[in-house]
Amino acid sequence: MIVVTRLNGSRFAVNPDLLERIQEHPDTVLLMVNGARYVVREPMDDVIGLIVGFRARVVAAASTSASSASTHLPAEPPPRMV
């Protein structure tokens, strides 16, 4: 989730996976895949930066999770009992 600010100053979180488009005219409008529109204070470049940071954290967490899982796996499968 990314946190953005409405024009009235209240903050809310948006799932960037559901973001279809960002428009700037002059206010920044987030257009969601379900048709919802949110007008926010942050400029378009800042919203894009928030999304990039969110994606980087997801990739880093997945990488950390995958590397810790692989350390718990045996290097070779156990021998088969015949």
Side-chain angles (χ1 to χ4, degrees):
M1 302 291 269
I2 61 169
V3 178
V4 290
T5 312
R6 294 183 195 272
L7 295 181
N8 68 5
S10 65
R11 294 170 27 117
F12 67 104
V14 173
N15 182 346
D17 293 333
L18 302 178
L19 186 60
E20 182 179 325
R21 273 190 322 246
I22 304 170
Q23 294 179 339
E24 204 171 50
H25 51 74
D27 295 325
T28 306
V29 180
L30 308 181
L31 299 145
M32 310 306 287
V33 295
N34 67 355
R37 294 172 177 249
Y38 300 107
V39 181
V40 298
R41 287 185 177 182
E42 291 80 1
M44 183 181 346
D45 290 340
D46 289 0
V47 174
I48 292 170
L50 291 169
I51 295 168
V52 169
F54 169 78
R55 300 261 185 256
R57 289 190 304 275
V58 169
V59 170
S63 175
T64 301
S65 177
S67 66
S68 68
S70 66
T71 60
H72 294 89
L73 298 175
E76 295 181 23
R80 294 182 69 194
M81 301 300 270
V82 184

mmCIF file of all heavy atoms in Angstrom, residues 2-14 38-42:
data_model
loop_
_atom_site.group_PDB
_atom_site.id
_atom_site.type_symbol
_atom_site.label_atom_id
_atom_site.label_comp_id
_atom_site.label_asym_id
_atom_site.label_seq_id
_atom_site.Cartn_x
_atom_site.Cartn_y
_atom_site.Cartn_z
ATOM 1 N N ILE A 2 0.386 2.277 -0.637
ATOM 2 C CA ILE A 2 1.055 3.581 -0.580
ATOM 3 C C ILE A 2 0.095 4.557 0.115
ATOM 4 O O ILE A 2 -1.120 4.429 0.000
ATOM 5 C CB ILE A 2 1.458 4.101 -1.972
ATOM 6 C CG1 ILE A 2 0.234 4.288 -2.869
ATOM 7 C CG2 ILE A 2 2.480 3.174 -2.627
ATOM 8 C CD1 ILE A 2 0.509 5.049 -4.157
ATOM 9 N N VAL A 3 0.657 5.492 0.835
ATOM 10 C CA VAL A 3 -0.152 6.473 1.568
ATOM 11 C C VAL A 3 -0.094 7.800 0.821
ATOM 12 O O VAL A 3 0.989 8.301 0.510
ATOM 13 C CB VAL A 3 0.357 6.636 3.015
ATOM 14 C CG1 VAL A 3 -0.450 7.696 3.748
ATOM 15 C CG2 VAL A 3 0.280 5.304 3.749
ATOM 16 N N VAL A 4 -1.277 8.342 0.531
ATOM 17 C CA VAL A 4 -1.399 9.620 -0.174
ATOM 18 C C VAL A 4 -2.339 10.528 0.619
ATOM 19 O O VAL A 4 -2.988 10.091 1.566
ATOM 20 C CB VAL A 4 -1.902 9.417 -1.623
ATOM 21 C CG1 VAL A 4 -0.848 8.749 -2.486
ATOM 22 C CG2 VAL A 4 -3.192 8.610 -1.658
ATOM 23 N N THR A 5 -2.437 11.789 0.211
ATOM 24 C CA THR A 5 -3.194 12.792 0.958
ATOM 25 C C THR A 5 -4.295 13.406 0.089
ATOM 26 O O THR A 5 -4.017 13.878 -1.016
ATOM 27 C CB THR A 5 -2.248 13.920 1.428
ATOM 28 O OG1 THR A 5 -1.090 13.337 2.021
ATOM 29 C CG2 THR A 5 -2.937 14.836 2.412
ATOM 30 N N ARG A 6 -5.516 13.393 0.608
ATOM 31 C CA ARG A 6 -6.621 14.075 -0.077
ATOM 32 C C ARG A 6 -6.401 15.580 -0.004
ATOM 33 O O ARG A 6 -5.597 16.065 0.785
ATOM 34 C CB ARG A 6 -7.950 13.732 0.590
ATOM 35 C CG ARG A 6 -8.347 12.291 0.472
ATOM 36 C CD ARG A 6 -9.724 12.112 1.130
ATOM 37 N NE ARG A 6 -10.037 10.723 1.368
ATOM 38 C CZ ARG A 6 -10.637 9.921 0.493
ATOM 39 N NH1 ARG A 6 -10.978 10.378 -0.689
ATOM 40 N NH2 ARG A 6 -10.891 8.664 0.799
ATOM 41 N N LEU A 7 -7.143 16.323 -0.792
ATOM 42 C CA LEU A 7 -7.016 17.775 -0.772
ATOM 43 C C LEU A 7 -7.396 18.373 0.580
ATOM 44 O O LEU A 7 -6.888 19.420 0.960
ATOM 45 C CB LEU A 7 -7.876 18.400 -1.880
ATOM 46 C CG LEU A 7 -7.453 18.066 -3.310
ATOM 47 C CD1 LEU A 7 -8.373 18.765 -4.305
ATOM 48 C CD2 LEU A 7 -6.005 18.427 -3.564
ATOM 49 N N ASN A 8 -8.269 17.692 1.342
ATOM 50 C CA ASN A 8 -8.669 18.204 2.654
ATOM 51 C C ASN A 8 -7.654 17.865 3.754
ATOM 52 O O ASN A 8 -7.859 18.193 4.912
ATOM 53 C CB ASN A 8 -10.054 17.690 3.047
ATOM 54 C CG ASN A 8 -10.085 16.197 3.328
ATOM 55 O OD1 ASN A 8 -9.063 15.520 3.327
ATOM 56 N ND2 ASN A 8 -11.279 15.668 3.543
ATOM 57 N N GLY A 9 -6.561 17.183 3.400
ATOM 58 C CA GLY A 9 -5.502 16.872 4.353
ATOM 59 C C GLY A 9 -5.570 15.491 4.960
ATOM 60 O O GLY A 9 -4.629 15.069 5.622
ATOM 61 N N SER A 10 -6.665 14.777 4.760
ATOM 62 C CA SER A 10 -6.740 13.416 5.314
ATOM 63 C C SER A 10 -5.900 12.466 4.465
ATOM 64 O O SER A 10 -5.809 12.604 3.246
ATOM 65 C CB SER A 10 -8.200 12.945 5.394
ATOM 66 O OG SER A 10 -8.754 12.814 4.102
ATOM 67 N N ARG A 11 -5.282 11.526 5.156
ATOM 68 C CA ARG A 11 -4.409 10.563 4.470
ATOM 69 C C ARG A 11 -5.125 9.232 4.347
ATOM 70 O O ARG A 11 -5.939 8.874 5.193
ATOM 71 C CB ARG A 11 -3.105 10.406 5.248
ATOM 72 C CG ARG A 11 -2.281 11.676 5.244
ATOM 73 C CD ARG A 11 -1.095 11.666 6.195
ATOM 74 N NE ARG A 11 -0.552 10.378 6.498
ATOM 75 C CZ ARG A 11 0.685 9.971 6.202
ATOM 76 N NH1 ARG A 11 1.500 10.782 5.604
ATOM 77 N NH2 ARG A 11 1.101 8.775 6.547
ATOM 78 N N PHE A 12 -4.829 8.507 3.275
ATOM 79 C CA PHE A 12 -5.396 7.182 3.087
ATOM 80 C C PHE A 12 -4.422 6.339 2.283
ATOM 81 O O PHE A 12 -3.497 6.856 1.643
ATOM 82 C CB PHE A 12 -6.781 7.252 2.416
ATOM 83 C CG PHE A 12 -6.764 7.738 0.990
ATOM 84 C CD1 PHE A 12 -6.922 6.846 -0.061
ATOM 85 C CD2 PHE A 12 -6.610 9.079 0.693
ATOM 86 C CE1 PHE A 12 -6.928 7.284 -1.377
ATOM 87 C CE2 PHE A 12 -6.606 9.535 -0.611
ATOM 88 C CZ PHE A 12 -6.770 8.633 -1.652
ATOM 89 N N ALA A 13 -4.618 5.044 2.346
ATOM 90 C CA ALA A 13 -3.723 4.115 1.655
ATOM 91 C C ALA A 13 -4.412 3.569 0.407
ATOM 92 O O ALA A 13 -5.615 3.319 0.407
ATOM 93 C CB ALA A 13 -3.328 2.972 2.579
ATOM 94 N N VAL A 14 -3.628 3.391 -0.630
ATOM 95 C CA VAL A 14 -4.116 2.874 -1.908
ATOM 96 C C VAL A 14 -3.262 1.663 -2.283
ATOM 97 O O VAL A 14 -2.039 1.682 -2.109
ATOM 98 C CB VAL A 14 -3.985 3.954 -3.013
ATOM 99 C CG1 VAL A 14 -4.318 3.396 -4.380
ATOM 100 C CG2 VAL A 14 -4.855 5.137 -2.710
ATOM 101 N N TYR A 38 -9.529 9.315 -7.186
ATOM 102 C CA TYR A 38 -9.094 9.995 -5.973
ATOM 103 C C TYR A 38 -8.235 11.187 -6.368
ATOM 104 O O TYR A 38 -7.257 11.032 -7.103
ATOM 105 C CB TYR A 38 -8.282 9.055 -5.077
ATOM 106 C CG TYR A 38 -9.044 7.831 -4.641
ATOM 107 C CD1 TYR A 38 -8.749 6.585 -5.177
ATOM 108 C CD2 TYR A 38 -10.068 7.916 -3.699
ATOM 109 C CE1 TYR A 38 -9.439 5.452 -4.779
ATOM 110 C CE2 TYR A 38 -10.762 6.790 -3.294
ATOM 111 C CZ TYR A 38 -10.444 5.565 -3.843
ATOM 112 O OH TYR A 38 -11.142 4.450 -3.450
ATOM 113 N N VAL A 39 -8.591 12.357 -5.883
ATOM 114 C CA VAL A 39 -7.788 13.559 -6.098
ATOM 115 C C VAL A 39 -6.871 13.696 -4.899
ATOM 116 O O VAL A 39 -7.324 13.696 -3.751
ATOM 117 C CB VAL A 39 -8.681 14.810 -6.251
ATOM 118 C CG1 VAL A 39 -7.823 16.044 -6.501
ATOM 119 C CG2 VAL A 39 -9.686 14.614 -7.386
ATOM 120 N N VAL A 40 -5.567 13.788 -5.161
ATOM 121 C CA VAL A 40 -4.582 13.823 -4.081
ATOM 122 C C VAL A 40 -3.670 15.034 -4.213
ATOM 123 O O VAL A 40 -3.537 15.616 -5.289
ATOM 124 C CB VAL A 40 -3.747 12.513 -4.052
ATOM 125 C CG1 VAL A 40 -4.636 11.311 -3.796
ATOM 126 C CG2 VAL A 40 -2.954 12.321 -5.329
ATOM 127 N N ARG A 41 -3.048 15.388 -3.088
ATOM 128 C CA ARG A 41 -2.132 16.542 -3.053
ATOM 129 C C ARG A 41 -0.789 16.266 -3.717
ATOM 130 O O ARG A 41 -0.149 17.174 -4.240
ATOM 131 C CB ARG A 41 -1.864 16.954 -1.611
ATOM 132 C CG ARG A 41 -3.002 17.642 -0.948
ATOM 133 C CD ARG A 41 -2.587 18.109 0.437
ATOM 134 N NE ARG A 41 -3.659 18.853 1.071
ATOM 135 C CZ ARG A 41 -3.563 19.412 2.247
ATOM 136 N NH1 ARG A 41 -2.453 19.316 2.942
ATOM 137 N NH2 ARG A 41 -4.581 20.069 2.759
ATOM 138 N N GLU A 42 -0.333 15.016 -3.652
ATOM 139 C CA GLU A 42 0.998 14.685 -4.138
ATOM 140 C C GLU A 42 1.068 14.858 -5.661
ATOM 141 O O GLU A 42 0.157 14.452 -6.374
ATOM 142 C CB GLU A 42 1.373 13.245 -3.783
ATOM 143 C CG GLU A 42 1.596 12.991 -2.319
ATOM 144 C CD GLU A 42 0.320 12.795 -1.508
ATOM 145 O OE1 GLU A 42 -0.790 12.844 -2.086
ATOM 146 O OE2 GLU A 42 0.435 12.600 -0.286
#
